[in-house]
Amino acid sequence: NPDNDAVGDLATESQLTDSTFLRSVYVGLTLITIALVILRSALFVKIAMAASASLHDGLLAGVLRAPVNLYHDVTPTGRVLNRFSKDLDHVDTNLPDTLVQVLQNLLNVLAVLAICALTTPFVLLTFIPIFTLFFKIQSFFRKSSREVKRLEGVSRSTYVSRFSEMIVGLGVVRAFGRTTRELQRHFEALDFNGNKWLLYWLLARWLAVRLDALANFVVLSVGMLAVGLTDAGA
C-alpha cells in the first residue's frame, strides 16, 4: 500500500531526525562540559599559584625580619628548612587538590540529598542520626590527626636539623670517631618520624572505614524504604 509506505518513511525519517538531534545535544553538552572543566582548572591553578607565592613571600619576609636573639638563636635550622620545604609543599600541592575534592564531594552530597528528597522524602529521617555520627567521628579524627601531624612535623624538623648540623661538623665528627654514633642517632630520628607518619595514615584509614560504613548504612536505608514503600503502594 503506497499510503502505508509513505507513513512508514515519514516515521523512519522522524526517528532519524530525533536521533540526530539527541546526538547533537549530547555532543554539545560534552563540549561545554570539557570547556568548563578546562576553564575551572586554569582558574584554580592561577589562584593557587598566586596564593602560594603570597604565602611564601610573607613567610620569607617574616623570617628575614625576625630578631636574631628572639628567633634565629633559639629556633633550630631544621625547623626553618621544614617550613620552606615540606610545609610549603603541602600547601602548594595537597591543599589545592583537597579543596577541589571538598567542593566536588559537597556538590555530590547536595545532589544526592535533593534527589532523595524528591523521590523518597522519608529517607531524610535516616540522615539525622547519620549526620550526628559523622560529626562525632569527624571531631574525634580532627583532634587526633592534628596532634599526630604536629608531632610528625616536629620530628621531621629534628632529623633535618640534626642532618644539617652533622654535615656542617662532619670533620669534627670524623676526628672524634663519632661517625657510627651520629648515623645511629640520625636513623633513630628517621624511624621516629616514620612512626608518626604511619600513625597519621592509620588514622586516615580508621576514618575511611567508618565513613564507608555510614555510606553503606545510607544505601541500606534507602533500599529498605524503597522496598517498603513499594510494597505498601502495591
Side-chain angles (χ1 to χ4, degrees):
N1 192 348
D3 293 336
N4 293 333
D5 294 339
V7 172
D9 293 339
L10 289 175
T12 303
E13 184 178 357
S14 177
Q15 292 177 356
L16 292 176
T17 303
D18 293 339
S19 177
T20 303
F21 174 74
L22 292 177
R23 283 198 296 266
S24 301
V25 171
Y26 180 78
V27 172
L29 292 176
T30 303
L31 294 177
I32 292 174
T33 302
I34 293 173
L36 290 176
V37 169
I38 294 174
L39 180 62
R40 183 204 65 180
S41 300
L43 182 62
F44 195 82
V45 168
K46 183 178 180 180
I47 294 174
M49 291 179 63
S52 176
S54 177
L55 182 62
H56 178 270
D57 294 342
L59 180 61
L60 180 61
V63 171
L64 294 178
R65 294 172 184 173
V68 176
N69 59 338
L70 298 178
Y71 181 78
H72 292 283
D73 288 344
V74 298
T75 304
T77 306
R79 186 173 301 174
V80 179
L81 293 176
N82 186 33
R83 295 296 178 268
F84 282 95
S85 57
K86 188 66 175 180
D87 290 346
L88 280 180
D89 178 68
H90 280 303
V91 174
D92 295 341
T93 57
N94 295 339
L95 192 60
D97 292 338
T98 303
L99 182 58
V100 170
Q101 292 178 6
V102 167
L103 293 176
Q104 290 179 348
N105 292 333
L106 179 61
L107 294 176
N108 291 333
V109 169
L110 293 178
V112 170
L113 290 177
I115 293 174
C116 291
L118 292 175
T119 57
T120 312
F122 295 103
V123 78
L124 297 178
L125 297 177
T126 62
F127 288 161
I128 297 176
I130 291 174
F131 281 134
T132 302
L133 288 174
F134 171 76
F135 282 114
K136 288 184 178 180
I137 294 173
Q138 184 252 2
S139 177
F140 178 80
F141 171 78
R142 186 173 63 245
K143 294 177 182 178
S144 303
S145 62
R146 181 173 59 243
E147 294 300 321
V148 173
K149 195 65 177 176
R150 182 184 63 82
L151 291 174
E152 192 269 335
V154 172
S155 62
R156 185 173 61 247
S157 301
T158 301
Y159 80 76
V160 171
S161 177
R162 183 168 296 169
F163 181 76
S164 61
E165 292 172 357
M166 186 173 61
I167 293 298
V168 172
L170 186 59
V172 178
V173 172
R174 289 177 176 177
F176 284 90
R178 303 283 296 180
T179 304
T180 304
R181 175 56 183 165
E182 290 300 323
L183 285 175
Q184 183 180 358
R185 292 178 60 190
H186 180 68
F187 291 146
E188 289 175 355
L190 283 176
D191 291 339
F192 186 76
N193 176 256
N195 291 333
K196 300 301 177 289
W197 181 253
L198 178 62
L199 182 59
Y200 177 78
W201 280 105
L202 288 177
L203 281 173
R205 294 303 91 199
W206 178 89
L207 177 66
V209 169
R210 280 147 184 81
L211 292 182
D212 289 341
L214 290 178
N216 293 330
F217 181 75
V218 171
V219 174
L220 177 63
S221 301
V222 172
M224 293 180 64
L225 284 174
V227 172
L229 293 176
T230 302
D231 294 339

